[in-house]
Amino acid sequence: MALPRCLQSTQVQAPDPIRVEGDRVSINKLIFSYGPVVTGSSQQRCLAVLQPPTLNDRGCSQNSTIIAYGQTGSGKTFTMFGPPASLTMHNVENSHPSCPSMWGVLPTTLFDILVNRNKEFTSVSLSAIEVYGNSAYDLLNGRAPLQVSSSGKSRGTFVGKGTTCIVGHRGSAPSYGGVHPPSCRCGPCYKAKEAEKVKLKRARESGSFKNGRQSIAAMRRASSSKGDSNPEEEFNTVGEKLMKLTKVEDIVEIASTIEATRVAKAHALNDRSSRSHCLVKVHLSKRSGSSMISNQLLFVDLAGSERIHKSGATGNAVKEATSINGSLTVLGRVIQFLRKDSGHVPYRDSTLTMLLRSSFTGGAKISVCLCVASGAEHADESECTLRFGSRMATLRNDAVQQQSISTAGRGEELKHLLRSAKVDLKDFEQRGFAERFGEQAAP
């Protein structure tokens, strides 16, 4: 947890209700203790706490996600990017060979990767997505609209590893990870589906409906993950610009573009309030012998929760605040459902939660930076932020170990997929799914 800076107020300040003792924070007679506490505006201290685990452990091959959460004006963007106009080459030259001390977690992490660990990673690229009004935009391509698509809705049937017959293919074909496509109608698929139905029926008959429902959800998760490391359904933006980073100048250019392009407005609580959520994806690749290991670092700068009667928002700013508060409410519901281990989690209720799904479903180690503002007038919002941290602290997320991919093996897999696609295409043409009907097409 971090307390980067305080909101400014022209009112007479009442005694600060927040008390910090080591890693314990007390407010409104409540005590919160679930992680390191940083007071003041020291970026170095924040970085020491928030640096992605992927970079702290040189042998680590897991994805990492860092989320900045808090009320408007509490210092989330300050922590993630740095103060306004700090991302310049002038600051880089003045602090050479070190990183500028006022840079936030994102640019400092990129500086460390490119300057101090440039021989470790073979490729570093980045994309930046803005979620504004429940729509996604590309911050590195003039805020071009982006479509959010889902993949892996139907994952097929796990029948065991090995080479077996897959209906729709000529002869036998390898079932990668032991999973056959949903359209397959072979004997092993039929037996696997019938066995799953029997297990679900027994789960319903054992215990109360509630316990049976939880058992069914757990069985489905276990069944879907067996032999297949991909999530059931993953949401991604389509067509965002991916920029390669090779030098420090690239960091300055990209971070400055994000700062200038992202929607921000002034109100009574903040001179530059972000009116959108910002998700920056950093893709890392490193070589391990003849294989490649890929990692992703996700930096999430959430828009701040806002009480309109305090911010003085009017006109379109009210709609923006309503949209922001709505998406944060959905995020809170997602956390609540995950804590209860419910079978259904409402990721689809907002674009933000759809894009965070892969992190919450075991794909990454998650760190949360809770930004709170001092002052009695902000006590309620600060308490809400700390309560959110308590809910997040109860989640248990086992990050998936990234597998090293053999370049030769990947090439053979792609060749097989291409051959299979050609067979399927020819079959579709013969069945009439083409510009003209084939001889075997149904009337």
Side-chain angles (χ1 to χ4, degrees), residues 172-353:
S172 61
S175 55
Y176 294 104
V179 179
H180 284 201
S183 59
C184 182
R185 302 181 302 277
C186 69
C189 282
Y190 175 80
K191 292 180 181 179
K193 292 176 182 178
E194 290 299 314
E196 183 179 1
K197 290 179 182 179
V198 173
K199 291 181 181 179
L200 295 179
K201 182 178 179 180
R202 291 176 180 174
R204 292 190 185 97
E205 295 174 349
S206 62
S208 63
F209 174 75
K210 180 178 180 181
N211 293 334
R213 181 173 58 186
Q214 291 176 346
S215 300
I216 293 170
M219 289 175 56
R220 283 174 174 168
R221 285 194 298 272
S223 176
S224 63
S225 62
K226 187 177 181 181
D228 187 358
S229 60
N230 295 324
E232 287 187 11
E233 186 175 28
E234 184 175 346
F235 300 95
N236 291 289
T237 49
V238 179
E240 72 265 29
K241 186 175 182 179
L242 194 64
M243 297 188 66
K244 193 172 183 179
L245 284 75
T246 58
K247 54 187 182 299
V248 177
E249 288 81 354
D250 297 334
I251 302 175
V252 174
E253 178 184 357
I254 292 174
S256 299
T257 301
I258 295 174
E259 182 182 20
T261 309
R262 188 179 177 188
V263 178
K265 293 180 182 177
H267 56 65
L269 298 178
N270 193 354
D271 293 336
R272 184 176 173 80
S273 174
S274 299
R275 313 307 290 171
S276 62
H277 310 296
C278 179
L279 293 81
V280 179
K281 298 180 181 180
V282 180
H283 304 272
L284 305 175
S285 298
K286 55 184 176 183
R287 186 174 296 279
S288 177
S290 60
S291 303
M292 295 292 293
I293 298 178
S294 299
N295 303 104
Q296 176 180 283
L297 310 181
L298 178 60
F299 298 84
V300 184
D301 180 19
L302 297 176
S305 58
E306 181 178 330
R307 298 193 178 186
I308 297 174
H309 71 277
K310 287 188 175 182
S311 65
T314 59
N316 190 55
V318 175
K319 296 181 180 179
E320 294 173 339
T322 302
S323 176
I324 292 170
N325 292 337
S327 61
L328 294 177
T329 299
V330 174
L331 176 60
R333 285 208 305 268
V334 166
I335 302 303
Q336 182 180 2
F337 275 79
L338 289 173
R339 291 176 64 204
K340 293 180 178 179
D341 197 22
S342 301
H344 169 72
V345 182
Y347 291 108
R348 286 181 171 270
D349 287 359
S350 79
T351 300
L352 173 65
T353 50

Side-chain angles (χ1 to χ4, degrees), residues 44-276:
Q44 288 77 15
R45 293 170 62 189
C46 286
L47 183 66
V49 173
L50 293 173
Q51 190 175 45
T54 298
L55 300 182
N56 287 335
D57 184 0
R58 303 231 170 191
C60 182
S61 58
Q62 296 172 335
N63 297 334
S64 299
T65 298
I66 297 180
I67 302 174
Y69 181 94
Q71 75 172 100
T72 180
S74 58
K76 300 178 297 301
T77 303
F78 179 91
T79 303
M80 297 298 284
F81 290 91
S86 64
L87 299 165
T88 63
M89 283 305 300
H90 176 72
N91 289 335
V92 174
E93 295 169 356
N94 288 342
S95 61
H96 182 78
S98 302
C99 180
S101 60
M102 292 304 294
W103 276 16
V105 176
L106 170 61
T108 303
T109 300
L110 296 177
F111 184 94
D112 180 40
I113 293 173
L114 294 182
V115 176
N116 302 327
R117 306 174 68 171
N118 59 330
K119 295 182 180 180
E120 180 177 350
F121 298 100
T122 58
S123 175
V124 181
S125 56
L126 178 149
S127 63
I129 302 166
E130 177 186 46
V131 178
Y132 175 78
N134 209 36
S135 298
Y137 300 90
D138 190 351
L139 290 175
L140 300 182
N141 190 24
R143 293 191 77 245
L146 295 173
Q147 180 183 358
V148 179
S149 65
S150 61
S151 61
K153 290 183 180 180
S154 184
R155 309 176 55 197
T157 306
F158 178 76
V159 298
K161 296 183 178 180
T163 301
T164 57
C165 179
I166 298 179
V167 175
H169 295 267
R170 294 181 177 178
S172 61
S175 55
Y176 294 104
V179 179
H180 284 201
S183 59
C184 182
R185 302 181 302 277
C186 69
C189 282
Y190 175 80
K191 292 180 181 179
K193 292 176 182 178
E194 290 299 314
E196 183 179 1
K197 290 179 182 179
V198 173
K199 291 181 181 179
L200 295 179
K201 182 178 179 180
R202 291 176 180 174
R204 292 190 185 97
E205 295 174 349
S206 62
S208 63
F209 174 75
K210 180 178 180 181
N211 293 334
R213 181 173 58 186
Q214 291 176 346
S215 300
I216 293 170
M219 289 175 56
R220 283 174 174 168
R221 285 194 298 272
S223 176
S224 63
S225 62
K226 187 177 181 181
D228 187 358
S229 60
N230 295 324
E232 287 187 11
E233 186 175 28
E234 184 175 346
F235 300 95
N236 291 289
T237 49
V238 179
E240 72 265 29
K241 186 175 182 179
L242 194 64
M243 297 188 66
K244 193 172 183 179
L245 284 75
T246 58
K247 54 187 182 299
V248 177
E249 288 81 354
D250 297 334
I251 302 175
V252 174
E253 178 184 357
I254 292 174
S256 299
T257 301
I258 295 174
E259 182 182 20
T261 309
R262 188 179 177 188
V263 178
K265 293 180 182 177
H267 56 65
L269 298 178
N270 193 354
D271 293 336
R272 184 176 173 80
S273 174
S274 299
R275 313 307 290 171
S276 62

Side-chain angles (χ1 to χ4, degrees), residues 13-35:
Q13 296 293 323
D16 195 340
I18 300 179
R19 296 288 183 269
V20 178
E21 297 179 1
D23 290 345
R24 292 159 56 99
V25 179
S26 60
I27 182 173
N28 295 340
K29 299 182 179 180
L30 299 174
I31 298 177
F32 301 89
S33 178
Y34 36 67

Side-chain angles (χ1 to χ4, degrees), residues 7-15 17 71 269 307 310 373-382:
L7 289 175
Q8 302 296 323
S9 176
T10 57
Q11 300 177 358
V12 177
Q13 296 293 323
Q71 75 172 100
L269 298 178
R307 298 193 178 186
K310 287 188 175 182
S374 63
E377 68 273 24
H378 307 298
D380 292 341
E381 291 84 351
S382 297

